[in-house]
Amino acid sequence: MFELQIIINGLLLGGLYALMAIGMSLIWGVTNVVNLAHGALIMLGAYTTFWLFKLLHLDPFVSLAASFAVLFVFGFLIQKYIINFVIRAKMFITLLLTFGLDILITNVAQTAWTSNFRQTSPSYASDGLSLGIITVPYVRLAAFTISIALVFALYLFLKKTKTGQAIRAVSQDIDAARLMGINVANTFAITFGIGAGLAGVAGSMIGVLIPITPHMGEILTLKSFVIALIGGLGTIFGPLVGGLFLGLVETFGSFHLGAKYADVIVFGILVATLIIKPTGILGKNNE
Amino acid sequence: MNKILKYAFLAVTAALVATVPLYSGAFITRFLIGVILYAIMAEGWNVIAGYTGYPSFGNVVFFGLGAYITALCMINFHTPFILSLVFSSIAGALFAIIIGIPILRLKGHYFAIVTLGIGETMMAITFNVPFTGTGAGLSLPLAINPNLFYYISLIVLVIFIVFLKFILSGRLGYGMIAVREDEDAAKMMGIDTVAVKIKAFAISGFFTAIAGGIYAYWSTFIDPPTVYDPVISIKMIIMTVFGGAGTLLGPVAGAFIIMFLSDFLSTHFTILHTFFFGGLIVMTAIFLPKGLMDVLSQKGIGWKYFIENIRKHRV
Amino acid sequence: MNIIKGEKITKSFSGLVALKNVDFELNKGEILGLIGPNGSGKTTLINVITGFYKPTSGKILYKNHDISGLSPHKISRLGIARTFQIVKPFMELTVLENVATAALFGKNIHIPKSKTRENAKSAVEAVGLYDKSSYKPGSLSIAELKKLEIAKAIALSPELLFLDESMAGLNLKETQTTMDLILKVREQRDLSIFFVEHVMKVVMGISDRVIVLHHGEKIADGKPNDIVNDENVIKAYLGKRYKRQKNA
Ligand SMILES: Nc1ncnc2c1ncn2[C@@H]1O[C@H](COP(=O)(O)OP(=O)(O)OP(=O)(O)O)[C@@H](O)[C@H]1O
Ligand SMILES: [Mg+2]
């Protein structure tokens, strides 16, 4: 009956993964920037919640809002005052720039908070719901539920609000959007802010499940990319499918091959995906 | 007359560079070994990215692989150092060919991310396979004469530059540049683009792996996080881009200047050093996307040059 | 004697049939014009012949050897060159460097490098870009870019040249000089030429023979004068267009 437990664990993790990746997918789809600092933003979210918990004893699930707000502002400023300056340069330059930001953020975090392992550990961290032979840990269940809710919220936001429509217009055709009177620079900044905010929220919840370090983001950037790739750009529910898939495969793989190979599995999926279809599995062709 | 002066100047400079360990202290020699190793790696990145247009974000794998091959040869088989370097270089080239066949078909973001992932994956694998000493790392014998590393790395760098100059003047070099500029047009000209890319990647892996091998023996201890550190990849990239990607000597200049600044800051302004690499990359991407060599080749450079870069690339 | 021949070439893109059983033949030394409405499959036909796409079915015989499905670089080395409808210059290189790069490859792939320089220079001269040898493509006009594209193609020393809308976007005078250029190149280099063009004046002026594609199917094949009077062609393609151009 292990298998059932693994499926549950995998799906719960996958929901969180979907939230983690949806920001990268959104930013990529709208601004055509693959944000290599995405993992660093997740890491910042994790620290935000950790410090609020440690210093102010704020419940991690309550501080999600703070995490979103902090990262939204941070992301908005990064896009507006840094990335917007190179948006039309060669693709390599935007990759280089976001990689530079990744290193900058990681180094500052390391200097400020050291490389010590930290974890947000509320009293209920190890409680779970027992359903006969399987257990559903509360925090994972909560993380999953919140993640799925946020994915739907993003969908509604893009569909129903004026800002959301502006974002979609810009992602379709920048020049046309400009003619409609949309401020492209600001729309990019808001998009990046939302992507960063969601990354922050994901990071806050990840920090309850695994140790927090300044370098935790490196592999998370890769995972987010894999999920965005599997899901395809320009869709909201693509990353959801991608996240659940990666969560399941990783959980299964770690169980059968050993947790040490989890990252290797992720990379294997990445390469396999790219070889099967170089533009992503569910995605529109974007090049 | 002018020509004679120029050659005399070059000869003196060459002689001075070649004999650094004889008249300078251990500290400077050490610093220069670091510069030269990075210059080799930056030039390696330049071959695949600067000339061929495939910006790898994971060239550190060749460095790490080279380091491990040399270490394992020397520890387990007592292979002489130079021979170990030969094995490292061959392994680096072979590995480049093996991974190059699937991944050099990818473009843009996809190529970048996959190369980034290769570094992480090799690190994970090295952590887990027993004969690499796993996470505990490997200790190498101590070298008798530390100056050895200076001479060897300098010779490797010089050979690399001469070799690259030779390549660039031939069909392979023109083919690489054609691939960088427009792959479809290159194909239609009769250039076997797949072969060109794989050769360029193999050259890149070959020399980067030698740098790894030299580093392993020089530092006497290696473990996965040190030799597969993604920051090493980013350093080769920024050195090349800063100096001038797609120029023969830009990466060498970039390696020297950046290592110097980094060393200076880390000894005198530790806090500033935290921001150094990240900040430098961000500034370079915004203000100097074509590198120093491009700036130097402009006549009457002024603010305009930098403003122009921003104006051209912003939203 | 034909230099190249296509038999029942079909190409479909996931459902969309871009070419349907197209037969064609080009004789040595001939200039063959290919016309057809937008999206009728002209560029696709060139892409299939030059190896950019593999044909879904059908055969291409070059000097009686089957070349269908060979990769582009191999086809190029056999002496087939092409230009691209959307020009593809090497932006970071000068005009001369662009052409010099081409001169190293194609049919010249086994010639010592020192001997290819002359070839490059004469190609640049032939298209009239000698004065701009040291310019980068960024500072050339459309007409000049199209000429650069032709210079690169002929620097490969081909025997068979495909030109994809080399005159689109040129004014009358530029069109005239490019036409003269094509005729001159054919004379001097003993080339066979297959060109795609919308400008009927050009098609009538330089083609020995014309074929017409419509919805991926060949609907006519013959002397230029017969083609412009062909019922089907007028209905499918020429219609208003030709009248308009004639009156202009
Ligand atoms: N790579 C491709 N994938 C899918 N469809 C394609 C591809 N290339 C061409 N097509 C389709 O094949 C058809 C023929 O296109 P093609 O470019 O050959 O037309 P054309 O005759 O050259 O037109 P034009 O006069 O506009 O240049 C079009 O419907 C086009 O959309
Ligand atoms: Mg066409």
Side-chain angles (χ1 to χ4, degrees), chain B residues 66-85:
Chain B
Y68 266 97
I69 298 282
T70 289
L72 290 171
C73 284
M74 290 183 73
I75 295 169
N76 295 334
F77 309 109
H78 307 287
T79 319
F81 178 46
I82 300 294
L83 190 58
S84 307
L85 288 183

mmCIF file with all atom_site columns, all heavy atoms in Angstrom, chain B residues 66-85:
data_model
loop_
_atom_site.group_PDB
_atom_site.id
_atom_site.type_symbol
_atom_site.label_atom_id
_atom_site.label_alt_id
_atom_site.label_comp_id
_atom_site.label_asym_id
_atom_site.label_entity_id
_atom_site.label_seq_id
_atom_site.pdbx_PDB_ins_code
_atom_site.Cartn_x
_atom_site.Cartn_y
_atom_site.Cartn_z
_atom_site.occupancy
_atom_site.B_iso_or_equiv
_atom_site.pdbx_formal_charge
_atom_site.auth_seq_id
_atom_site.auth_comp_id
_atom_site.auth_asym_id
_atom_site.auth_atom_id
_atom_site.pdbx_PDB_model_num
ATOM 1   N N   . GLY B 1 66 ? 37.416 17.155 -15.611 1.00 0.00 ? 66 GLY B N   1
ATOM 2   C CA  . GLY B 1 66 ? 38.876 17.172 -15.747 1.00 0.00 ? 66 GLY B CA  1
ATOM 3   C C   . GLY B 1 66 ? 39.551 17.050 -14.397 1.00 0.00 ? 66 GLY B C   1
ATOM 4   O O   . GLY B 1 66 ? 40.531 16.305 -14.230 1.00 0.00 ? 66 GLY B O   1
ATOM 5   N N   . ALA B 1 67 ? 39.022 17.764 -13.413 1.00 0.00 ? 67 ALA B N   1
ATOM 6   C CA  . ALA B 1 67 ? 39.602 17.705 -12.077 1.00 0.00 ? 67 ALA B CA  1
ATOM 7   C C   . ALA B 1 67 ? 39.520 16.281 -11.533 1.00 0.00 ? 67 ALA B C   1
ATOM 8   O O   . ALA B 1 67 ? 40.493 15.732 -11.002 1.00 0.00 ? 67 ALA B O   1
ATOM 9   C CB  . ALA B 1 67 ? 38.871 18.677 -11.151 1.00 0.00 ? 67 ALA B CB  1
ATOM 10  N N   . TYR B 1 68 ? 38.349 15.665 -11.683 1.00 0.00 ? 68 TYR B N   1
ATOM 11  C CA  . TYR B 1 68 ? 38.175 14.314 -11.138 1.00 0.00 ? 68 TYR B CA  1
ATOM 12  C C   . TYR B 1 68 ? 39.024 13.289 -11.873 1.00 0.00 ? 68 TYR B C   1
ATOM 13  O O   . TYR B 1 68 ? 39.584 12.375 -11.252 1.00 0.00 ? 68 TYR B O   1
ATOM 14  C CB  . TYR B 1 68 ? 36.692 13.916 -11.138 1.00 0.00 ? 68 TYR B CB  1
ATOM 15  C CG  . TYR B 1 68 ? 36.064 14.227 -9.806  1.00 0.00 ? 68 TYR B CG  1
ATOM 16  C CD1 . TYR B 1 68 ? 35.354 15.401 -9.605  1.00 0.00 ? 68 TYR B CD1 1
ATOM 17  C CD2 . TYR B 1 68 ? 36.233 13.364 -8.720  1.00 0.00 ? 68 TYR B CD2 1
ATOM 18  C CE1 . TYR B 1 68 ? 34.811 15.707 -8.375  1.00 0.00 ? 68 TYR B CE1 1
ATOM 19  C CE2 . TYR B 1 68 ? 35.691 13.660 -7.479  1.00 0.00 ? 68 TYR B CE2 1
ATOM 20  C CZ  . TYR B 1 68 ? 34.981 14.835 -7.312  1.00 0.00 ? 68 TYR B CZ  1
ATOM 21  O OH  . TYR B 1 68 ? 34.460 15.127 -6.087  1.00 0.00 ? 68 TYR B OH  1
ATOM 22  N N   . ILE B 1 69 ? 39.122 13.404 -13.203 1.00 0.00 ? 69 ILE B N   1
ATOM 23  C CA  . ILE B 1 69 ? 39.920 12.417 -13.937 1.00 0.00 ? 69 ILE B CA  1
ATOM 24  C C   . ILE B 1 69 ? 41.386 12.497 -13.508 1.00 0.00 ? 69 ILE B C   1
ATOM 25  O O   . ILE B 1 69 ? 42.016 11.484 -13.199 1.00 0.00 ? 69 ILE B O   1
ATOM 26  C CB  . ILE B 1 69 ? 39.805 12.651 -15.465 1.00 0.00 ? 69 ILE B CB  1
ATOM 27  C CG1 . ILE B 1 69 ? 38.370 12.484 -15.938 1.00 0.00 ? 69 ILE B CG1 1
ATOM 28  C CG2 . ILE B 1 69 ? 40.745 11.718 -16.216 1.00 0.00 ? 69 ILE B CG2 1
ATOM 29  C CD1 . ILE B 1 69 ? 37.896 11.075 -16.098 1.00 0.00 ? 69 ILE B CD1 1
ATOM 30  N N   . THR B 1 70 ? 41.913 13.708 -13.458 1.00 0.00 ? 70 THR B N   1
ATOM 31  C CA  . THR B 1 70 ? 43.315 13.853 -13.030 1.00 0.00 ? 70 THR B CA  1
ATOM 32  C C   . THR B 1 70 ? 43.494 13.316 -11.609 1.00 0.00 ? 70 THR B C   1
ATOM 33  O O   . THR B 1 70 ? 44.429 12.559 -11.329 1.00 0.00 ? 70 THR B O   1
ATOM 34  C CB  . THR B 1 70 ? 43.739 15.329 -13.117 1.00 0.00 ? 70 THR B CB  1
ATOM 35  O OG1 . THR B 1 70 ? 43.839 15.685 -14.489 1.00 0.00 ? 70 THR B OG1 1
ATOM 36  C CG2 . THR B 1 70 ? 45.097 15.552 -12.449 1.00 0.00 ? 70 THR B CG2 1
ATOM 37  N N   . ALA B 1 71 ? 42.574 13.689 -10.733 1.00 0.00 ? 71 ALA B N   1
ATOM 38  C CA  . ALA B 1 71 ? 42.699 13.238 -9.344  1.00 0.00 ? 71 ALA B CA  1
ATOM 39  C C   . ALA B 1 71 ? 42.656 11.715 -9.272  1.00 0.00 ? 71 ALA B C   1
ATOM 40  O O   . ALA B 1 71 ? 43.512 11.084 -8.633  1.00 0.00 ? 71 ALA B O   1
ATOM 41  C CB  . ALA B 1 71 ? 41.575 13.843 -8.506  1.00 0.00 ? 71 ALA B CB  1
ATOM 42  N N   . LEU B 1 72 ? 41.689 11.111 -9.948  1.00 0.00 ? 72 LEU B N   1
ATOM 43  C CA  . LEU B 1 72 ? 41.548 9.654  -9.860  1.00 0.00 ? 72 LEU B CA  1
ATOM 44  C C   . LEU B 1 72 ? 42.761 8.951  -10.474 1.00 0.00 ? 72 LEU B C   1
ATOM 45  O O   . LEU B 1 72 ? 43.246 7.945  -9.931  1.00 0.00 ? 72 LEU B O   1
ATOM 46  C CB  . LEU B 1 72 ? 40.257 9.202  -10.555 1.00 0.00 ? 72 LEU B CB  1
ATOM 47  C CG  . LEU B 1 72 ? 38.974 9.617  -9.816  1.00 0.00 ? 72 LEU B CG  1
ATOM 48  C CD1 . LEU B 1 72 ? 37.746 9.339  -10.664 1.00 0.00 ? 72 LEU B CD1 1
ATOM 49  C CD2 . LEU B 1 72 ? 38.876 8.886  -8.468  1.00 0.00 ? 72 LEU B CD2 1
ATOM 50  N N   . CYS B 1 73 ? 43.269 9.470  -11.605 1.00 0.00 ? 73 CYS B N   1
ATOM 51  C CA  . CYS B 1 73 ? 44.449 8.859  -12.229 1.00 0.00 ? 73 CYS B CA  1
ATOM 52  C C   . CYS B 1 73 ? 45.636 8.927  -11.283 1.00 0.00 ? 73 CYS B C   1
ATOM 53  O O   . CYS B 1 73 ? 46.356 7.949  -11.078 1.00 0.00 ? 73 CYS B O   1
ATOM 54  C CB  . CYS B 1 73 ? 44.815 9.583  -13.524 1.00 0.00 ? 73 CYS B CB  1
ATOM 55  S SG  . CYS B 1 73 ? 43.728 9.190  -14.889 1.00 0.00 ? 73 CYS B SG  1
ATOM 56  N N   . MET B 1 74 ? 45.846 10.096 -10.709 1.00 0.00 ? 74 MET B N   1
ATOM 57  C CA  . MET B 1 74 ? 47.034 10.272 -9.871  1.00 0.00 ? 74 MET B CA  1
ATOM 58  C C   . MET B 1 74 ? 46.930 9.472  -8.585  1.00 0.00 ? 74 MET B C   1
ATOM 59  O O   . MET B 1 74 ? 47.910 8.904  -8.114  1.00 0.00 ? 74 MET B O   1
ATOM 60  C CB  . MET B 1 74 ? 47.263 11.753 -9.575  1.00 0.00 ? 74 MET B CB  1
ATOM 61  C CG  . MET B 1 74 ? 47.709 12.510 -10.820 1.00 0.00 ? 74 MET B CG  1
ATOM 62  S SD  . MET B 1 74 ? 48.064 14.237 -10.528 1.00 0.00 ? 74 MET B SD  1
ATOM 63  C CE  . MET B 1 74 ? 49.612 14.113 -9.622  1.00 0.00 ? 74 MET B CE  1
ATOM 64  N N   . ILE B 1 75 ? 45.726 9.424  -7.999  1.00 0.00 ? 75 ILE B N   1
ATOM 65  C CA  . ILE B 1 75 ? 45.581 8.722  -6.722  1.00 0.00 ? 75 ILE B CA  1
ATOM 66  C C   . ILE B 1 75 ? 45.597 7.203  -6.921  1.00 0.00 ? 75 ILE B C   1
ATOM 67  O O   . ILE B 1 75 ? 46.346 6.483  -6.260  1.00 0.00 ? 75 ILE B O   1
ATOM 68  C CB  . ILE B 1 75 ? 44.272 9.139  -6.026  1.00 0.00 ? 75 ILE B CB  1
ATOM 69  C CG1 . ILE B 1 75 ? 44.330 10.614 -5.644  1.00 0.00 ? 75 ILE B CG1 1
ATOM 70  C CG2 . ILE B 1 75 ? 44.026 8.286  -4.791  1.00 0.00 ? 75 ILE B CG2 1
ATOM 71  C CD1 . ILE B 1 75 ? 43.006 11.177 -5.196  1.00 0.00 ? 75 ILE B CD1 1
ATOM 72  N N   . ASN B 1 76 ? 44.792 6.726  -7.878  1.00 0.00 ? 76 ASN B N   1
ATOM 73  C CA  . ASN B 1 76 ? 44.617 5.273  -7.997  1.00 0.00 ? 76 ASN B CA  1
ATOM 74  C C   . ASN B 1 76 ? 45.712 4.599  -8.809  1.00 0.00 ? 76 ASN B C   1
ATOM 75  O O   . ASN B 1 76 ? 46.073 3.464  -8.537  1.00 0.00 ? 76 ASN B O   1
ATOM 76  C CB  . ASN B 1 76 ? 43.266 4.953  -8.629  1.00 0.00 ? 76 ASN B CB  1
ATOM 77  C CG  . ASN B 1 76 ? 42.126 5.403  -7.734  1.00 0.00 ? 76 ASN B CG  1
ATOM 78  O OD1 . ASN B 1 76 ? 42.301 5.494  -6.517  1.00 0.00 ? 76 ASN B OD1 1
ATOM 79  N ND2 . ASN B 1 76 ? 40.987 5.692  -8.325  1.00 0.00 ? 76 ASN B ND2 1
ATOM 80  N N   . PHE B 1 77 ? 46.220 5.281  -9.837  1.00 0.00 ? 77 PHE B N   1
ATOM 81  C CA  . PHE B 1 77 ? 47.177 4.610  -10.729 1.00 0.00 ? 77 PHE B CA  1
ATOM 82  C C   . PHE B 1 77 ? 48.545 5.264  -10.725 1.00 0.00 ? 77 PHE B C   1
ATOM 83  O O   . PHE B 1 77 ? 49.415 4.888  -11.498 1.00 0.00 ? 77 PHE B O   1
ATOM 84  C CB  . PHE B 1 77 ? 46.616 4.577  -12.161 1.00 0.00 ? 77 PHE B CB  1
ATOM 85  C CG  . PHE B 1 77 ? 45.217 4.029  -12.225 1.00 0.00 ? 77 PHE B CG  1
ATOM 86  C CD1 . PHE B 1 77 ? 44.145 4.858  -12.492 1.00 0.00 ? 77 PHE B CD1 1
ATOM 87  C CD2 . PHE B 1 77 ? 44.967 2.679  -11.980 1.00 0.00 ? 77 PHE B CD2 1
ATOM 88  C CE1 . PHE B 1 77 ? 42.843 4.358  -12.520 1.00 0.00 ? 77 PHE B CE1 1
ATOM 89  C CE2 . PHE B 1 77 ? 43.674 2.182  -12.015 1.00 0.00 ? 77 PHE B CE2 1
ATOM 90  C CZ  . PHE B 1 77 ? 42.617 3.012  -12.283 1.00 0.00 ? 77 PHE B CZ  1
ATOM 91  N N   . HIS B 1 78 ? 48.699 6.263  -9.879  1.00 0.00 ? 78 HIS B N   1
ATOM 92  C CA  . HIS B 1 78 ? 49.964 6.995  -9.814  1.00 0.00 ? 78 HIS B CA  1
ATOM 93  C C   . HIS B 1 78 ? 50.432 7.434  -11.188 1.00 0.00 ? 78 HIS B C   1
ATOM 94  O O   . HIS B 1 78 ? 51.615 7.404  -11.505 1.00 0.00 ? 78 HIS B O   1
ATOM 95  C CB  . HIS B 1 78 ? 51.035 6.160  -9.110  1.00 0.00 ? 78 HIS B CB  1
ATOM 96  C CG  . HIS B 1 78 ? 50.562 5.685  -7.772  1.00 0.00 ? 78 HIS B CG  1
ATOM 97  N ND1 . HIS B 1 78 ? 50.435 6.533  -6.705  1.00 0.00 ? 78 HIS B ND1 1
ATOM 98  C CD2 . HIS B 1 78 ? 50.135 4.467  -7.352  1.00 0.00 ? 78 HIS B CD2 1
ATOM 99  C CE1 . HIS B 1 78 ? 49.955 5.862  -5.664  1.00 0.00 ? 78 HIS B CE1 1
ATOM 100 N NE2 . HIS B 1 78 ? 49.750 4.604  -6.032  1.00 0.00 ? 78 HIS B NE2 1
ATOM 101 N N   . THR B 1 79 ? 49.478 7.800  -12.025 1.00 0.00 ? 79 THR B N   1
ATOM 102 C CA  . THR B 1 79 ? 49.825 8.303  -13.355 1.00 0.00 ? 79 THR B CA  1
ATOM 103 C C   . THR B 1 79 ? 50.564 9.626  -13.196 1.00 0.00 ? 79 THR B C   1
ATOM 104 O O   . THR B 1 79 ? 50.189 10.435 -12.350 1.00 0.00 ? 79 THR B O   1
ATOM 105 C CB  . THR B 1 79 ? 48.531 8.566  -14.155 1.00 0.00 ? 79 THR B CB  1
ATOM 106 O OG1 . THR B 1 79 ? 47.630 7.503  -13.909 1.00 0.00 ? 79 THR B OG1 1
ATOM 107 C CG2 . THR B 1 79 ? 48.819 8.710  -15.630 1.00 0.00 ? 79 THR B CG2 1
ATOM 108 N N   . PRO B 1 80 ? 51.608 9.848  -14.004 1.00 0.00 ? 80 PRO B N   1
ATOM 109 C CA  . PRO B 1 80 ? 52.286 11.149 -13.929 1.00 0.00 ? 80 PRO B CA  1
ATOM 110 C C   . PRO B 1 80 ? 51.298 12.275 -14.222 1.00 0.00 ? 80 PRO B C   1
ATOM 111 O O   . PRO B 1 80 ? 50.334 12.095 -14.975 1.00 0.00 ? 80 PRO B O   1
ATOM 112 C CB  . PRO B 1 80 ? 53.356 11.071 -15.027 1.00 0.00 ? 80 PRO B CB  1
ATOM 113 C CG  . PRO B 1 80 ? 53.487 9.635  -15.358 1.00 0.00 ? 80 PRO B CG  1
ATOM 114 C CD  . PRO B 1 80 ? 52.228 8.945  -14.976 1.00 0.00 ? 80 PRO B CD  1
ATOM 115 N N   . PHE B 1 81 ? 51.567 13.436 -13.646 1.00 0.00 ? 81 PHE B N   1
ATOM 116 C CA  . PHE B 1 81 ? 50.651 14.575 -13.748 1.00 0.00 ? 81 PHE B CA  1
ATOM 117 C C   . PHE B 1 81 ? 50.307 14.914 -15.200 1.00 0.00 ? 81 PHE B C   1
ATOM 118 O O   . PHE B 1 81 ? 49.132 15.020 -15.563 1.00 0.00 ? 81 PHE B O   1
ATOM 119 C CB  . PHE B 1 81 ? 51.281 15.775 -13.047 1.00 0.00 ? 81 PHE B CB  1
ATOM 120 C CG  . PHE B 1 81 ? 50.459 17.029 -13.112 1.00 0.00 ? 81 PHE B CG  1
ATOM 121 C CD1 . PHE B 1 81 ? 49.094 17.019 -12.841 1.00 0.00 ? 81 PHE B CD1 1
ATOM 122 C CD2 . PHE B 1 81 ? 51.062 18.245 -13.434 1.00 0.00 ? 81 PHE B CD2 1
ATOM 123 C CE1 . PHE B 1 81 ? 48.354 18.181 -12.885 1.00 0.00 ? 81 PHE B CE1 1
ATOM 124 C CE2 . PHE B 1 81 ? 50.318 19.410 -13.481 1.00 0.00 ? 81 PHE B CE2 1
ATOM 125 C CZ  . PHE B 1 81 ? 48.974 19.373 -13.209 1.00 0.00 ? 81 PHE B CZ  1
ATOM 126 N N   . ILE B 1 82 ? 51.345 15.056 -16.026 1.00 0.00 ? 82 ILE B N   1
ATOM 127 C CA  . ILE B 1 82 ? 51.092 15.485 -17.402 1.00 0.00 ? 82 ILE B CA  1
ATOM 128 C C   . ILE B 1 82 ? 50.217 14.468 -18.143 1.00 0.00 ? 82 ILE B C   1
ATOM 129 O O   . ILE B 1 82 ? 49.279 14.827 -18.854 1.00 0.00 ? 82 ILE B O   1
ATOM 130 C CB  . ILE B 1 82 ? 52.428 15.683 -18.163 1.00 0.00 ? 82 ILE B CB  1
ATOM 131 C CG1 . ILE B 1 82 ? 53.278 16.742 -17.475 1.00 0.00 ? 82 ILE B CG1 1
ATOM 132 C CG2 . ILE B 1 82 ? 52.166 16.076 -19.623 1.00 0.00 ? 82 ILE B CG2 1
ATOM 133 C CD1 . ILE B 1 82 ? 52.700 18.138 -17.524 1.00 0.00 ? 82 ILE B CD1 1
ATOM 134 N N   . LEU B 1 83 ? 50.510 13.195 -17.921 1.00 0.00 ? 83 LEU B N   1
ATOM 135 C CA  . LEU B 1 83 ? 49.716 12.153 -18.576 1.00 0.00 ? 83 LEU B CA  1
ATOM 136 C C   . LEU B 1 83 ? 48.259 12.215 -18.079 1.00 0.00 ? 83 LEU B C   1
ATOM 137 O O   . LEU B 1 83 ? 47.317 12.050 -18.847 1.00 0.00 ? 83 LEU B O   1
ATOM 138 C CB  . LEU B 1 83 ? 50.334 10.786 -18.306 1.00 0.00 ? 83 LEU B CB  1
ATOM 139 C CG  . LEU B 1 83 ? 49.754 9.633  -19.126 1.00 0.00 ? 83 LEU B CG  1
ATOM 140 C CD1 . LEU B 1 83 ? 49.908 9.903  -20.620 1.00 0.00 ? 83 LEU B CD1 1
ATOM 141 C CD2 . LEU B 1 83 ? 50.423 8.311  -18.755 1.00 0.00 ? 83 LEU B CD2 1
ATOM 142 N N   . SER B 1 84 ? 48.108 12.494 -16.787 1.00 0.00 ? 84 SER B N   1
ATOM 143 C CA  . SER B 1 84 ? 46.753 12.623 -16.237 1.00 0.00 ? 84 SER B CA  1
ATOM 144 C C   . SER B 1 84 ? 46.011 13.767 -16.925 1.00 0.00 ? 84 SER B C   1
ATOM 145 O O   . SER B 1 84 ? 44.817 13.658 -17.214 1.00 0.00 ? 84 SER B O   1
ATOM 146 C CB  . SER B 1 84 ? 46.799 12.903 -14.736 1.00 0.00 ? 84 SER B CB  1
ATOM 147 O OG  . SER B 1 84 ? 47.581 11.950 -14.090 1.00 0.00 ? 84 SER B OG  1
ATOM 148 N N   . LEU B 1 85 ? 46.746 14.844 -17.179 1.00 0.00 ? 85 LEU B N   1
ATOM 149 C CA  . LEU B 1 85 ? 46.109 15.973 -17.864 1.00 0.00 ? 85 LEU B CA  1
ATOM 150 C C   . LEU B 1 85 ? 45.654 15.559 -19.264 1.00 0.00 ? 85 LEU B C   1
ATOM 151 O O   . LEU B 1 85 ? 44.595 15.979 -19.735 1.00 0.00 ? 85 LEU B O   1
ATOM 152 C CB  . LEU B 1 85 ? 47.075 17.153 -17.978 1.00 0.00 ? 85 LEU B CB  1
ATOM 153 C CG  . LEU B 1 85 ? 47.384 17.920 -16.695 1.00 0.00 ? 85 LEU B CG  1
ATOM 154 C CD1 . LEU B 1 85 ? 48.291 19.110 -17.003 1.00 0.00 ? 85 LEU B CD1 1
ATOM 155 C CD2 . LEU B 1 85 ? 46.118 18.376 -16.002 1.00 0.00 ? 85 LEU B CD2 1
#
